[in-house]
Amino acid sequence: MNANNELGMFWGIGVGPGPAGYLPLAAMQALQQADLIYVPRARSADTSVALQCLEGVAVAPERLREVEFNMDPDRNVLREHYAQLAQDIAAELQAGRSVAYLTIGDTLTYSTYGYVLAALKDLLPAFPHRTFPGITSYASAAAALDWPLGVGKERTLILPCPDDPATLQQEIETHDIVVLMKVGARLPWVLALLKEMGIAEHCAFARRIGLDGEVLANDLRELEAGDRDHAVSGYLATMLIRKTALEKRHQG
């Protein structure tokens, strides 16, 4: 603990889905003030996407702390992983150092930051902190594709991709719009389902928005998923699904 027994400040920063320009100004100020910046990296990735989102922002390398994040389906393993990470961050805060934690997209929308924040609150219930919102992948995708996420009284569901087509089809049939996140390896059957339902032409797809390898599509009928040269991956992808074409919905 530092001599004044004062905890350092902790900031949660959503860096958006891609370009550094998507970082909120208030969050940028916190980023510049932080003594240490924790940068999560997926275990399966060679580089941190969150760090790629800061391209063009001057950050001294010695301030960075890259951490491998774990999304193990076993909740006990997950809890232990984030408890250890929280202990490491808490030690820095107790030493009086300010810490920023980066996460892609928005800080509290299907983000690893939520686990870190909860674990820190268990260790340091009254620690000083501030969470900055970030631009979500689906808001960015909608803007890039001029794709309304809701018109009038349309009902929009934000959904992590189910594991089977029947569940997804039911959700589509009971909502006007479905924002589909965490698609991953399920992309091939998701595309097949949308084509089978006859709605692929008014659904959209976005992957790695603003980063190398960006894919944007306003019509999914020609989109292919898989490992072939011209196929796309579902990793870091968001789908915008509309049950009824927008122009048909508002005729008459």
Side-chain angles (χ1 to χ4, degrees), residues 27-66:
M28 178 71 80
Q29 293 173 0
L31 190 67
Q32 293 170 341
Q33 295 176 37
D35 295 312
L36 297 173
I37 302 169
Y38 277 70
V39 182
R41 174 182 57 81
R43 177 172 293 176
S44 58
D46 294 329
T47 58
S48 166
V49 176
L51 193 57
Q52 291 179 50
C53 293
L54 289 186
E55 185 176 354
V57 177
V59 178
E62 60 268 21
R63 297 168 62 207
L64 298 175
R65 297 289 185 274
E66 187 175 275

Side-chain angles (χ1 to χ4, degrees), residues 55-165:
E55 185 176 354
V57 177
V59 178
E62 60 268 21
R63 297 168 62 207
L64 298 175
R65 297 289 185 274
E66 187 175 275
V67 291
E68 183 179 85
F69 71 81
N70 186 346
M71 293 305 293
D72 195 293
D74 186 325
R75 290 293 174 181
N76 291 326
V77 172
L78 198 63
R79 190 178 300 108
E80 181 179 341
H81 173 79
Y82 285 103
Q84 181 59 58
L85 176 56
Q87 287 177 9
D88 295 342
I89 295 174
E92 300 293 351
L93 298 176
Q94 288 171 327
R97 286 184 280 273
S98 58
V99 175
Y101 182 93
L102 305 187
T103 185
I104 58 175
D106 175 58
T107 38
L108 292 170
T109 303
Y110 298 112
S111 167
T112 60
Y113 172 74
Y115 297 109
V116 177
L117 182 62
L120 275 172
K121 286 182 175 180
D122 287 340
L123 292 173
L124 304 170
F127 77 109
H129 69 280
R130 181 176 178 186
T131 300
F132 294 98
I135 298 175
T136 61
S137 61
Y138 55 86
S140 182
L145 293 162
D146 293 331
W147 204 98
L149 282 171
V151 177
K153 295 185 178 180
E154 287 182 325
R155 295 167 301 165
T156 300
L157 172 67
I158 302 171
L159 180 72
C161 188
D163 291 324
D164 63 278

Side-chain angles (χ1 to χ4, degrees), residues 173-214:
E173 290 174 346
T174 53
H175 295 84
D176 300 304
I177 294 168
V178 173
V179 173
L180 198 63
M181 305 182 70
K182 298 183 178 293
V183 181
R186 305 173 189 86
L187 182 59
W189 68 252
V190 172
L191 288 174
L193 173 65
L194 297 178
K195 293 173 184 178
E196 181 182 330
M197 294 179 68
I199 63 173
E201 64 268 28
H202 42 262
C203 297
F205 176 90
R207 178 177 185 268
R208 294 183 62 86
I209 303 166
L211 302 173
D212 291 339
E214 176 187 72

